[in-house]
Amino acid sequence: MDLGLTAADAEFRREARDWLAAHVPAEPLPSLETAEGFAAHREWERELYTGRWSAVTWPEAYGGRGASLLRWLLFEEEYYAARAPGRVSQNGVSLLAPTLFEHGTQEQLARVLPAMASGATIWAQAWSEPGAGSDLAALRSSAVRTDGGWLLRGHKTWSSRAAFADRAFGLFRSHPGADRPHNGLTYLMFDLAAPGVTVRPIGRLDGKPAFAELFLEDVFVPDADVIGEPGQGWRVAMSTAGNERGLTLRSPGRFTAAAGRLAALWRATADPADTALRDRVADALIGARAYQLAAYAGVARLTEGGTPGAAASLTKVFWSELDIALHETALDLLGPRGELAATATEAPDHGSWADGWIFALAGPVYAGTNEIQRDIIAERLLGLPKGRR
């Protein structure tokens, strides 16, 4: 693998850096898990779209730049280094869009992607259900055939962004007589403001509604909003899951930037005699750099025609555990001050370390728990017998 950049790639990085320096808000936006913050982050998505930075790898016809995966990595490194706002459109851009590119129709691409890129439509992920989280094939929400489309019934929970989002995507059981739980599922998009949809926010550890429950009572969805073939939703969903666990949800730039800030925090505040904390800072730096190099290697494989496959489970376990360790080290460095809320004027770094830690705690759970990922690694990568499932 050649780690050198071409002059054109270096110019792309410089262009991204200059644009971000000129446009990133001087003060952090309010939390996107509040109505005020969600609106502010939607406006930031519009700003990114105006600069053609909201979805750099997409074709220009849909609002992108047609950039390579390598340039996406470069942009993400600059984005996090610039401390740009979190992406409220992440579910759409990182999860639904790759699924549409692989399984959607031309009509769906032309209708859905431009509004997604501009922030006009923000998407929620509606997969988990009571009794069907990591065991996604146990889901019971249904899609019943009707004239011109489907009627959705059931209950989804832990739906990210759903408290304030516009639309959602999820799996539904459409063929209840199928021979296996993974068969007879259909992947659909639906409007969260449609008749029959009730959205009930779920408070996070800090009380903010980062998730929501969705109650669906005969919600009509037209055939045009089915992704892939009816009854083949599991195959479509695995495309989304591969992206969620792999590169697109957690780019390495997020961790290299955070590890750099952690090292700066160590230099500014730590007792040099505390070698235990020093070693944890070093471990975070090494972990972030290792993940970055693994991501570059992954991009090289994908560029040559490979797919994320089961290796995405390795990635997911690694970044989710790295994220917790990195933020816990920062909080231990800061002591009691690190626990101050973002609204406190004395909160170091606008409370970003505490906020980051709270979010990191969810990493081993979402996108398929790490226990499930370890089963996948054992069975598909190491060839070991099936375990607890």
Side-chain angles (χ1 to χ4, degrees):
M1 182 176 64
D2 182 1
L3 294 178
L5 296 180
T6 66
D9 290 335
E11 172 58 22
F12 177 88
R13 182 196 281 275
R14 185 199 59 75
E15 182 185 356
R17 183 181 300 163
D18 290 349
W19 189 89
L20 289 164
H23 291 84
V24 170
E27 294 293 326
L29 299 182
S31 168
L32 59 81
E33 314 296 1
T34 64
E36 176 194 13
F38 199 90
H41 282 76
R42 189 195 291 266
E43 188 59 37
W44 169 247
E45 294 291 340
R46 293 193 184 100
E47 184 82 3
L48 281 172
Y49 177 70
T50 301
R52 296 173 54 239
W53 294 107
S54 63
V56 296
T57 60
W58 293 8
E60 293 184 13
Y62 304 132
R65 289 172 170 256
S68 65
L69 278 174
L70 171 62
R71 290 190 179 183
W72 173 77
L73 282 177
L74 299 178
F75 171 71
E76 290 283 297
E77 288 176 3
E78 295 301 326
Y79 192 87
Y80 285 101
R83 307 202 67 178
R87 300 291 305 275
V88 74
S89 66
Q90 192 172 49
N91 284 329
V93 172
S94 299
L95 302 180
L96 179 58
T99 306
L100 285 171
F101 280 123
E102 189 171 346
H103 299 281
T105 65
Q106 288 301 311
E107 186 278 332
Q108 288 172 335
L109 293 172
R111 173 165 52 93
V112 173
L113 294 184
M116 183 190 294
S118 69
T121 303
I122 303 295
W123 290 82
Q125 185 182 25
W127 279 27
S128 295
E129 299 183 6
S134 290
D135 185 12
L136 186 60
L139 66 86
R140 291 183 295 180
S141 292
S142 63
V144 179
R145 201 76 178 93
T146 190
D147 290 342
W150 303 79
L151 294 176
L152 305 186
R153 300 167 182 159
H155 178 192
K156 299 286 184 178
T157 192
W158 304 117
S159 297
S160 306
R161 305 277 184 272
F164 306 111
D166 306 295
R167 305 201 74 200
F169 54 93
L171 272 180
F172 293 85
R173 192 163 299 285
S174 55
H175 299 72
D179 56 346
R180 298 179 62 232
H182 298 77
N183 296 335
L185 302 172
T186 296
Y187 201 121
L188 298 113
M189 302 178 282
F190 58 98
D191 193 335
L192 288 172
V197 177
T198 299
V199 179
R200 183 182 298 169
I202 300 173
R204 206 171 53 176
L205 182 62
D206 58 4
K208 298 185 179 76
F211 313 96
E213 292 180 283
L214 304 177
F215 298 90
L216 310 169
E217 299 179 13
D218 290 337
V219 179
F220 177 75
V221 176
D223 287 324
D225 279 346
V226 173
I227 304 176
E229 293 296 322
Q232 301 298 312
W234 187 260
R235 188 169 67 88
V236 182
M238 290 305 98
S239 172
T240 307
N243 282 292
E244 186 176 29
R245 295 164 188 166
L247 276 176
T248 57
L249 187 63
R250 291 289 168 258
S251 66
R254 179 172 185 267
F255 301 103
T256 52
R261 290 196 294 120
L262 177 63
L265 185 65
W266 158 260
R267 287 191 288 270
T269 64
D271 175 0
D274 189 345
T275 56
L277 263 179
R278 180 203 61 189
D279 290 350
R280 289 168 61 191
V281 173
D283 286 344
L285 281 167
I286 292 168
R289 178 63 170 155
Y291 180 47
Q292 180 189 36
L293 292 175
Y296 274 79
V299 163
R301 286 194 300 273
L302 292 173
T303 303
E304 293 170 358
T307 59
S313 295
L314 285 172
T315 302
K316 198 270 177 175
V317 172
F318 187 85
W319 62 247
S320 60
E321 294 186 348
L322 170 64
D323 206 17
I324 292 176
L326 192 155
H327 283 87
E328 285 183 342
T329 303
L331 292 181
D332 287 344
L333 269 169
L334 289 168
R337 291 193 308 132
E339 299 178 16
L340 292 173
T343 51
T345 54
E346 301 85 0
D349 215 2
H350 301 283
S352 63
W353 290 111
D355 280 348
W357 175 71
I358 290 173
F359 185 78
L361 292 178
V365 179
Y366 65 78
T369 66
N370 281 9
E371 287 78 9
I372 292 293
Q373 305 313 313
R374 286 190 167 90
D375 279 348
I376 294 172
I377 293 166
E379 295 166 16
R380 301 183 192 175
L381 294 180
L382 301 178
L384 298 174
K386 284 186 177 297
R388 72 205 81 181
R389 289 176 294 165

